[in-house]
Amino acid sequence: MSVPAIPASSSDENAEAQAAGRAKHASVFWGLLPFVWPQNRPDLRVRVVLAFSMLVFAKLVTVSVPIFYKDATDRLTAASNGETVSTGMGLAFGVAMLILAYGTGRVLTMVLTQVRDVIFTEVGQNAVRHLNNRTFQHLHRLSLRFHLERRTGGLSRVIERATRGIELIIRMGILNVVPTALELALVSGILFYYFDWRYVLIVVATVVVYMWYTFAASERRIAIRREMNDSDTDANTKAIDSLLNFETVKYFGNEEAEARRFDASIARYEKAAIKTFRSLGLLNSGQAVIFTVGMTSCMLLAARGVMVGTQTIGEFVMVNALMIQLYMPLNFMGMVYREIKQGLVDLEAMFALLEEHPEITDKPGAQPLEVTQGNIRFENVCFSYEHDRRILKDLSFEVPAGKMVAIVGPSGAGKSTISRILFRFYDIQSGRVTIDGQDIRDVTQKSLRSAIGVVPQDTVLFNDTVLYNIRYGRFEATDEEVFAAAKLAQIDAFIRSLPQGYRTMVGERGLKLSGGEKQRVAIARTILKGPPILILDEATSALDSHTEREIQDALDSVAKDRTTLVIAHRLSTIVHADNILVLEKGKLVEQGTHGELIARNGLYASLWARQREAERAREELAQALQEAVRSGALTPEDVAIEGAS
């Protein structure tokens, strides 16, 4: 008879989770060490050694301060009891020197600590900089799929918290744990020398119980901290998402809905924050009780020794001073542990990002793409974003060198997917894509993308100047080259009409520019790049008919003698293409010139007829509105509102 499996208890699961958490934290902590001891920066390693030297010296000074205090107290006590045989001047000088030594020791401790911080600052900031830069570069190496599935607001919050956590862990974890352990050893040695083993036992027991309580309580608070981080990330993501879509919120009048959505996340953060402060109060109270019991026990022993004549008043005072001296780093150690654990939680997400493997990578030994002519071939290409949803099905076509080939088809046919595959944002499941006979999977991504210029359907600009956004196509370009590209894109005159000209800020995602203006900036940027292969992904979709005709002439001149792939929605823009590919549900169903496809009376002819009918309807509406204005039935303002709608 089989024995039923016994499910794991919740305590076992919690123990496993805690063990996994500790292993993860240890991995994060050790992962930081190369940034603290950089192999390529011997000057920083010297700073680390100097900082540790300062720490050791500071601790030696720190534990000597209570001894000066003790000796001064003993001399003053003896003098008050008339037991000293020294002259008044000699006694005063000796006490004064001890008090000066006491004061100097306290000042020196503070100065050495500050010098340590100054020396180590460059080490910490260098680690922050390099780890952040490494993460930033890694994020750009990750695939498009990763970024489409990740919320940018939450990602920025992860990096922001991790930045604080890096410096905190480096400064507190490395520069405080070892010195505190050293101070405990020195205090124990002094107590054993001046007193006996009972004092050492009490101190060690107090420290052990204190640290156990601190660590146990802090572990329980980690779950609350994670909940705070999750709610904070969620709230920040919703806030950024809402503000980036400001106009959409206004269009639908959903300000209150956005506020409720944001408030729900903040409410979660509020509850977690309250729990955090409650647990912190309990932690601090318990620490105070544990340490006070230990300190009181030592003082009781010392007081008994004074009463029986085995200890002096100075030694009684020294016990108190040593315990208080020890309490400061111990209390700090509790905070250090809490902060380190908190920093490790914050850093977990960043290290998880660094552990993400790019979906698209260069093959070992991949060579740069050599574009001799610019011939593009798709050979039996099959592709799907998800396993159960095929986008391209056994697709084969060629874009001859120096020719313009257009791709058209209904929405969802796979037109834009082709450009993403050509840029190698995704790898195909089967088939080949070649440029001049070179499989794009065998060449470096950098060389592939530098050979292709794209004007996307949805143009997004950086929140910088117009000049920066155009020069983004080729940073080494001169101002004159930027101006020439803008003229070809029919936007130079508009830019110069702005109050700040090319220095005008375009705003977040280019929102200060109209759709057509943004599109022309994107066209100028691609013209400046000057690639041998062009992809125009519905490049004139945001332009009115008049501007479209102007831009089309510029695009035609730019595309001359270049291999050009046009993904088109408006069929009127590609009637002069050398070849037109018609896609439907991921398959190539027709191809030919505009005239040949119209004569065939297939899918392309149907799409052309519908677009022509829609254009005629728009023209008739415009004529009717103009006639209504002439007759007085409508005002020009009414026509403007009607056109906007």
Side-chain angles (χ1 to χ4, degrees), residues 514-517 519-520 539-552 570 572-573 618:
S514 70
E517 290 158 0
Q519 203 79 329
R520 282 181 282 185
T540 59
S541 62
L543 307 178
D544 55 67
S545 299
H546 174 71
T547 307
E548 179 186 5
R549 285 190 291 271
E550 294 179 349
I551 297 293
Q552 197 60 53
R570 293 182 182 178
S572 58
T573 64
R618 283 195 295 270

Side-chain angles (χ1 to χ4, degrees), residues 184-239:
L184 175 60
L186 290 172
V187 168
S188 299
I190 292 172
L191 288 173
F192 188 77
Y193 177 79
Y194 280 96
F195 302 96
D196 57 50
W197 62 270
R198 294 174 298 172
Y199 291 82
V200 177
L201 182 62
I202 291 173
V203 169
V204 171
T206 300
V207 170
V208 169
V209 175
Y210 183 96
M211 298 308 293
W212 170 82
Y213 177 78
T214 299
F215 295 168
S218 296
E219 284 291 339
R220 287 195 294 270
R221 298 182 70 238
I222 292 301
I224 303 174
R225 179 66 191 182
R226 284 200 178 96
E227 185 180 350
M228 284 181 64
N229 283 356
D230 291 343
S231 55
D232 179 52
T233 299
D234 186 53
N236 190 68
T237 298
K238 286 182 170 59

